[in-house]
Amino acid sequence: MRILLIRHGDPDYEHDTLTEKGWREAGLLAGMAPSMKIDDCYVSPLGRARDTASGSLKAMGKEAAVLDWLREFPAVADPNVSEELTRAYPGLSREDNRYSVRNVIWDMVPDYWTRHPELMEPDGWRRSPVAESGDAVPVYDHVCRELDRLLAAYGYVREGRLYRVVRENTKTIACYCHFGIICALLSHLLNASPFVLWHGVALAPTSVTEVVSEERQQGIASFRALRIGDISHLYAGQEPPSFAARFCEVFSNDGQRH
């Protein structure tokens, strides 16, 4: 079985759609969509993901099922829990003697997460101050259960950290969604902490991440990434990758996101 996790194009977050550049990126993605040999398509309910998928679906003559759990990973952390946690998140706003609750749980400075090795552990992150301050664990478990429910429909049933193969399947499914949720789903498939993915990779808009099953023992499957964040379609179309998902390469560059 093959799973394609595809991020939306360069986002216009204010209007939940794509920028002009994002539409160009989505067009180049659509140009190669038929060659990906996708059987079934799924899409986030958010506009930027649906707009990205629209051209590819038209090129393939397919429709996509909308799955609410493919929306951007919605977990939050509450920096009001401790003074240390307030230092984890840059640019916090304060009102009525309280800091705003973050809606991007992984957007913490390296000086914090590198001093908390539990965030890098497959299970240890669940007991971290960040996770315990908000709803990261139940939200993560929910989306992982939904992913496993989807995979079970294709014959792969989660048991522990592996999948029992009740029906062999060589289909390809594509999920058009978002950076945060892609990292969460990928961490579940690879049995890693989601924070490793959130902080270790930057998935450019319209990038394609490909994961395949391997059944080295009959009836037992695991998943392995063949490519992460592939944007070869942008290079082929001479379209520079968007800077979205990245932070400044050098701090003195005020033109890049800090």
Side-chain angles (χ1 to χ4, degrees):
M1 184 175 183
R2 189 167 68 119
I3 304 169
L4 302 179
L5 302 170
I6 303 172
R7 190 188 174 196
H8 59 74
D10 189 57
D12 175 352
Y13 286 120
E14 181 181 358
H15 301 99
D16 191 24
T17 183
L18 304 178
T19 64
E20 183 178 342
K21 175 174 174 51
W23 283 109
R24 292 198 303 271
E25 294 169 346
L28 292 170
L29 179 68
M32 78 165 196
S35 68
M36 292 194 286
K37 307 299 182 185
I38 298 170
D39 294 292
D40 300 323
C41 299
Y42 302 94
V43 65
S44 157
L46 301 183
R48 54 193 183 273
R50 298 179 73 166
D51 288 343
T52 299
S54 61
S56 294
L57 294 172
K58 183 177 180 180
M60 295 184 292
K62 292 183 176 295
E63 295 184 356
V66 178
L67 300 178
D68 187 71
W69 54 271
L70 283 178
R71 66 176 55 245
E72 184 55 293
F73 192 75
V76 298
D78 187 352
N80 297 287
V81 169
S82 69
E83 182 178 349
E84 181 188 28
L85 209 54
T86 65
R87 295 194 293 269
Y89 295 99
L92 287 172
S93 60
R94 190 175 176 88
E95 185 176 346
D96 295 331
N97 294 319
R98 283 183 59 83
Y99 289 104
S100 63
V101 175
R102 302 290 296 193
N103 61 359
V104 183
I105 192 170
W106 61 87
D107 187 11
M108 62 183 69
V109 293
D111 185 57
Y112 180 85
W113 62 261
T114 55
R115 288 187 290 107
H116 287 267
E118 71 275 8
L119 289 172
M120 303 296 112
E121 298 170 359
D123 296 313
W125 71 268
R126 295 170 173 272
R127 299 181 293 276
S128 68
V130 169
E132 291 181 343
S133 77
D135 59 354
V137 172
V139 170
Y140 180 85
D141 288 345
H142 169 69
V143 298
C144 291
R145 283 194 301 270
E146 292 299 324
L147 172 63
D148 287 340
R149 184 175 290 113
L150 178 64
L151 295 181
Y154 288 92
Y156 293 80
V157 177
R158 183 88 174 193
E159 292 184 350
R161 297 187 185 276
L162 294 168
Y163 288 85
R164 177 167 52 87
V165 182
V166 297
R167 184 177 70 258
E168 289 186 351
N169 202 319
T170 57
K171 282 189 172 182
T172 294
I173 66 172
C175 298
Y176 294 83
C177 45
H178 313 265
F179 169 76
I181 189 67
I182 289 175
C183 289
L185 298 176
L186 191 59
S187 75
H188 182 60
L189 292 171
L190 302 183
N191 295 306
S193 163
F195 286 90
V196 172
L197 281 302
W198 285 328
H199 291 286
V201 302
L203 305 177
T206 68
S207 63
V208 180
T209 295
E210 180 179 8
V211 185
V212 294
S213 62
E214 292 186 342
E215 192 179 346
R216 296 184 64 187
Q217 299 169 273
Q218 188 173 15
I220 299 175
S222 58
F223 284 88
R224 200 173 189 184
L226 294 187
R227 50 180 172 152
I228 295 177
D230 178 32
I231 49 173
S232 55
H233 56 286
L234 298 183
Y235 292 126
Q238 298 185 331
E239 179 70 31
S242 167
F243 198 81
R246 292 183 58 192
F247 292 95
C248 55
E249 187 170 351
V250 294
F251 197 80
S252 60
N253 189 335
D254 293 331
Q256 293 178 341
R257 187 163 64 115
H258 282 63

